[in-house]
Amino acid sequence: MKKMIYLLGIMLLMAGAAKAQDAKTQSGPEIEFEKVVHDYGDVPFNGNGECEFRFTNTGTEPLLVLKPKSSCGCTIPSWPQEPILPGESDIIKVTYRTNRLCFASRAEC
């Protein structure tokens, strides 16, 4: 009985070490933003509503940005269409439509 517990303990340690090694060598794209929120503050009607969100691919494979979504219809994102290589940075541009009224209490603007 003691030998079986000992062997089971060694097998668990080996499995844990293999899992830890897998976590270290995981591959794939990973996105990291400098900021994820932009406060426009008080924007005048027809004022400048442009903003940029800079990001970096901190992963090990190319990152493809497919379709970023905004929180309401008043903001329009544009994004890079080409893959972002590991270690490279790019931006998602956001234009806030300042030529229309938008109320935060409404589901859509």
Side-chain angles (χ1 to χ4, degrees), residues 55 57 62-66 79-85 88-91:
F55 65 90
N57 178 2
L63 169 71
L64 184 58
V65 179
L66 296 177
W79 59 93
Q81 302 299 309
E82 299 296 320
I84 312 305
L85 298 177
E88 291 188 357
S89 297
D90 212 324
I91 56 172

Side-chain angles (χ1 to χ4, degrees), residues 41-52:
D42 293 330
V43 179
F45 189 78
N46 278 332
N48 181 359
E50 295 181 359
C51 173
E52 294 181 347

